[in-house]
Amino acid sequence: AAFNVPASVSVINRQEIEDLNPSSLSDIFERIPGAQFDGGPRRSGQTPSVRGLGGSGVLITLDGARQSFVSGHDGRIFVDPEILSAVEVIRGPASALHGSGAVGGVIALRTLDAADIVGPGESAVFSLKGGFDTVKDERHVTGTAAYQTPDQKFGVVASGTFRSSDDIRLGSGFDLPADDEVVSMLFKGTGQVTDALKITADWVRYRLDTTDPANPQQNNMADPSNPLVDRKVSSDTGILRADLNPAGNDWINGHVAVFGALTEVEEVEVTNPDAVTRKVRSIGFSGVNNAQVTDWLTLTFGAEAHHDKQTGTDNTSADGSRGGVPDASAQFYGAFVQGEFRIENVLPGTLAFLPGVRIDRFISDADGQDKTRDIAVSPKLGVRYTPNDWLMLFGNVAKAFRAPSFNEIYADGTHFTIPLGYTTIVNAFQINPDLEPERSLAFELGGGLDFANVVQGKDRIAMKASYWHAKVDNLINLYVQLDSTCFIPGFPCTSANSFSQYVNTDATLDGVEVELNYDSPTIYAHVTFSAINGEEDYPVASDPVGIAALYPNKVRIDLGAYLVESRALKIGTRMTFADDFTEGATRAEDRDGYSVFDLYAVYEPVSGLLNGLRIDLAVENIADKDYEVVFAGTSEEGRNFKAAVRYRLPL
């Protein structure tokens, strides 16, 4: 259970996802303290960050399959929220269990299976959902069918979603050009082959066709240095998993899984045939087992291996290669063990120690370049103390690492060009074979409260809060050199004063996070608070500067009431309050605080003629506020009227 983990973990279940009626994953992350989606309003440029770290510093899995696609501007996660049963976010270093990339945290996405859709006494269900929002003129439709045998041993589910949206109306009143079409599909089958063995196979497919600038982030507009492109995103993930849990054997309770993932982004300029692609293929294996050794000791151990391969093309280059997208590969091998030692009768309640360690070996290789390789050891120690059934105190200290990606080590070729009329400035990547892995040492202290029957019968309040501190050595960032002399006519703009290179820096971050849930037969509330501070030392700068993925102090409140006893009708409001932001990479990133208010209603009768119907209505950003979340000068969406209707039919 997330509450009992001696770390900061948020779990958004299917019911909460449906109540948000999200059009993209960024809508879900507004509910999670310490995490957000950066990039701006356009769907095609959004990337997640956790505790101030983004890119490859956040590990993402889909049904356990690593999602290894990373790009500067093309997004990171390609999954439609309609197929998700849960979103889990581990905030903070988690390399001791999860390996490379889990420096900022882990995002684990779980897709629907038949048991999520087929209810008690049912064998087959079909549902159809349609909806719209006005801020980007989006229309969407989802069809889902599921079947499960009466004994619940075998089940299949198939789901497909289509979305079409247009320009995004911002709070500033400006229409941000965008044109999206999304097709998402899920096919999954589960089978309890024997009492001890369960097999699961699923395939997730995502397609995005959009027309927007080559760099779609922020509020960017197309221009000669950022041309308008037709972008096609194609992502497929397949997973085959076997869960083994023989009755009467406490030593075996685990799974093995193999997966394959393929993601490709193609960009073709609208005004000419110039075209570039980036393709990343991944295959992997993982095995995990939980052994209940004694009443007071549980061991979790496992191993993992995966291989990533990237290719890039550019039809305007002499050899067809693409600048900044090297033809390269990376291999990872890891093994880990974690123990949970529970001690009772020494102090009131239960004291638990959770030590763990993982060792990883990684190798990167690119055409025409030397291999780079290294080994990382990631230890951790968590402590949980529960003196009674309503209080939990915890602390943890952990080391984490992130291997430099093949893009960061081997990037070469043109990064960007700036046409000036009398000349064109060319900024090129420089490879850095000496790039070191990121290494983090972090600690966290916190606690939780869990009460039942507080104000009225059958109510519950649960809260978890923590303070965390992280020292990140060799943080990997892109350094861009563009000397002002390049803009002087007749002055040569050479690789000495115009280049881009990934370099190691150091950073220190700390913050506070609070998450509170209250539920009762009549009212409910979800409240989060997050604050973060951080400084980064560039090797080329004398003074520390802010980290770009930081965010302002923020409070989010979701407050609502059930208007009928069966909970068939509820209305609520979501309120977000953010402080002024002064922690940006430069003072130009300073931005004002903001307050945003939403209203929503959900009608879902549980009996009678309308049983199976669900209606979602919402008005987001009621005051049509112009506010900035991720960058100074990057306005977010304006007032948005949103609606969806779903009908669920048992067959």
Side-chain angles (χ1 to χ4, degrees):
F3 182 83
N4 295 326
V5 177
S8 294
V9 181
S10 294
V11 179
I12 311 300
N13 62 34
R14 179 62 183 174
Q15 181 64 54
E16 293 166 330
I17 294 172
E18 287 187 320
D19 288 349
L20 292 168
N21 191 19
S23 62
S24 67
L25 285 176
S26 62
D27 296 334
I28 299 175
F29 271 66
E30 294 177 2
R31 190 178 174 87
I32 301 171
Q36 68 175 20
F37 264 65
D38 303 317
R42 290 189 180 102
R43 179 184 281 115
S44 54
Q46 294 178 335
T47 59
S49 64
V50 180
R51 289 188 172 177
L53 299 175
S56 298
V58 177
L59 173 61
I60 301 169
T61 64
L62 177 61
D63 285 341
R66 283 178 176 257
Q67 303 296 287
S68 298
F69 183 91
V70 179
S71 167
H73 308 302
D74 293 326
R76 179 81 201 279
I77 310 179
F78 305 110
V79 179
D80 192 274
E82 286 293 330
I83 67 169
L84 295 179
S85 66
V87 175
E88 300 183 6
V89 179
I90 303 172
R91 303 189 299 278
S95 288
L97 291 182
H98 299 279
S100 177
V103 178
V106 179
I107 298 171
L109 309 175
R110 295 208 309 265
T111 60
L112 295 166
D113 58 29
D116 296 312
I117 301 169
V118 180
E122 299 174 340
S123 59
V125 172
F126 175 75
S127 69
L128 185 64
K129 177 181 178 180
F132 69 88
D133 71 40
T134 59
V135 77
K136 52 184 177 294
D137 194 26
E138 179 167 293
R139 304 292 186 269
H140 66 90
V141 60
T142 298
T144 303
Y147 170 79
Q148 186 171 253
T149 57
D151 58 9
Q152 300 181 357
K153 289 186 175 182
F154 298 90
V156 293
V157 61
S159 182
T161 298
F162 175 77
R163 297 182 185 272
S164 177
S165 61
D166 209 331
D167 295 349
I168 305 169
R169 194 184 66 80
L170 305 177
S172 63
F174 178 73
D175 286 345
L176 185 67
D179 181 13
D180 291 1
E181 285 191 357
V182 176
V183 177
S184 174
M185 290 184 287
L186 166 69
F187 300 95
K188 179 186 283 188
T190 58
Q192 192 73 44
V193 181
T194 69
D195 291 341
L197 177 63
K198 178 182 178 181
I199 302 293
T200 303
D202 66 305
W203 172 42
V204 180
R205 182 179 178 89
Y206 182 93
R207 298 291 184 270
L208 168 65
D209 288 350
T210 182
T211 301
D212 45 32
N215 178 357
Q217 296 180 325
Q218 303 184 40
N219 289 164
N220 285 343
M221 299 292 291
D223 59 38
S225 62
N226 189 21
L228 193 68
V229 300
D230 288 327
R231 178 181 287 105
K232 296 184 183 298
V233 178
S234 172
S235 180
D236 292 272
T237 301
I239 305 103
L240 179 63
R241 170 171 165 150
D243 288 85
L244 191 62
N245 185 15
N249 189 333
D250 294 336
W251 284 76
I252 301 177
N253 180 12
H255 73 266
V256 294
V258 293
F259 74 88
L262 172 62
T263 301
E264 181 175 11
V265 177
E266 179 187 39
E267 300 170 7
V268 181
E269 292 189 23
V270 172
T271 58
N272 60 58
D274 293 355
V276 296
T277 67
R278 180 197 299 264
K279 182 185 295 184
V280 176
R281 300 182 182 90
S282 302
I283 57 172
F285 160 86
S286 65
V288 180
N289 184 59
N290 294 281
Q292 188 69 49
V293 181
T294 69
D295 291 340
W296 51 269
L297 172 61
T298 302
L299 287 180
T300 301
F301 52 90
E304 179 185 17
H306 67 277
H307 178 271
D308 301 329
K309 182 175 178 59
Q310 176 179 267
T311 56
T313 66
D314 183 344
N315 66 358
T316 66
S317 67
D319 60 357
S321 63
R322 180 181 177 184
V325 186
D327 292 345
S329 63
Q331 302 171 55
F332 295 83
Y333 310 91
F336 65 90
V337 60
Q338 175 183 277
E340 180 175 348
F341 298 85
R342 294 173 294 278
I343 301 174
E344 298 179 348
N345 303 320
V346 175
L347 296 172
T350 302
L351 179 65
F353 293 91
L354 287 86
V357 65
R358 173 165 170 149
I359 184 169
D360 286 271
R361 175 176 171 81
F362 48 94
I363 305 168
S364 295
D365 188 18
D367 292 350
Q369 304 292 338
D370 293 334
K371 288 184 179 181
T372 64
R373 64 191 74 202
D374 207 342
I375 293 176
V377 178
S378 306
K380 61 161 279 190
L381 174 63
V383 180
R384 180 182 70 242
Y385 178 48
T386 52
N388 50 50
D389 58 2
W390 54 265
L391 174 63
M392 189 270 288
L393 304 174
F394 74 89
N396 68 73
V397 60
K399 285 188 174 182
F401 84 101
R402 174 174 82 82
S405 71
F406 35 55
N407 290 321
E408 295 163 336
I409 300 172
Y410 301 116
D412 61 0
T414 300
H415 183 194
F416 59 84
T417 61
I418 304 177
L420 296 179
Y422 57 88
T423 188
T424 297
I425 295 176
V426 178
N427 184 280
F429 285 105
Q430 293 184 359
I431 68 171
N432 187 356
D434 298 322
L435 202 61
E436 294 288 333
E438 290 181 359
R439 301 185 189 274
S440 169
L441 175 61
F443 73 84
E444 184 171 8
L445 297 172
L449 300 171
D450 189 353
F451 294 103
N453 304 317
V454 181
V455 179
Q456 55 182 304
K458 299 182 180 179
D459 71 348
R460 182 188 176 196
I461 183 169
M463 183 187 74
K464 200 170 181 180
S466 70
Y467 167 78
W468 59 273
H469 180 280
K471 179 69 171 69
V472 185
D473 294 327
N474 299 323
L475 181 70
I476 300 172
N477 259 331
L478 179 63
Y479 173 68
V480 179
Q481 169 72 40
L482 189 60
D483 198 292
S484 60
T485 57
C486 288
F487 297 90
I488 301 175
F491 196 93
C493 192
T494 66
S495 59
N497 53 13
S498 178
F499 67 91
S500 297
Q501 187 181 52
Y502 287 94
V503 297
N504 289 120
T505 71
D506 294 325
T508 303
L509 304 100
D510 68 341
V512 174
E513 294 163 0
V514 180
E515 188 167 13
L516 179 148
N517 281 287
Y518 176 75
D519 192 32
S520 78
T522 55
I523 62 174
Y524 60 91
H526 179 261
V527 181
T528 64
F529 169 77
S530 57
I532 187 172
N533 298 291
E535 285 187 333
E536 182 175 359
D537 290 305
Y538 276 99
V540 293
S542 58
D543 298 319
V545 296
I547 298 173
L550 301 184
Y551 47 81
N553 299 344
K554 186 163 58 176
V555 174
R556 183 185 182 276
I557 302 171
D558 186 342
L559 178 64
Y562 303 105
L563 299 189
V564 295
E565 187 175 351
S566 66
R567 298 191 174 192
L569 176 62
K570 62 182 175 183
I571 61 171
T573 180
R574 300 185 182 104
M575 301 167 280
T576 303
F577 306 96
D579 202 355
D580 293 345
F581 181 71
T582 58
E583 297 284 338
T586 67
R587 297 284 72 82
E589 282 298 306
D590 290 357
R591 47 193 184 267
D592 294 334
Y594 58 87
S595 302
V596 180
F597 299 87
D598 306 336
L599 284 175
Y600 66 92
V602 178
Y603 178 57
E604 189 174 13
V606 296
S607 61
L609 293 175
L610 296 180
N611 184 21
L613 176 69
R614 177 184 171 110
I615 300 175
D616 290 84
L617 301 173
V619 185
E620 299 174 340
N621 191 4
I622 296 173
D624 203 20
K625 274 283 190 74
D626 182 17
Y627 65 103
E628 301 160 342
V629 174
V630 295
F631 297 109
T634 300
S635 295
E636 296 295 323
E637 294 179 351
R639 184 186 298 115
N640 184 23
F641 296 93
K642 203 171 186 179
V645 178
R646 186 196 70 194
Y647 188 73
R648 179 182 181 278
L649 178 65
L651 301 176

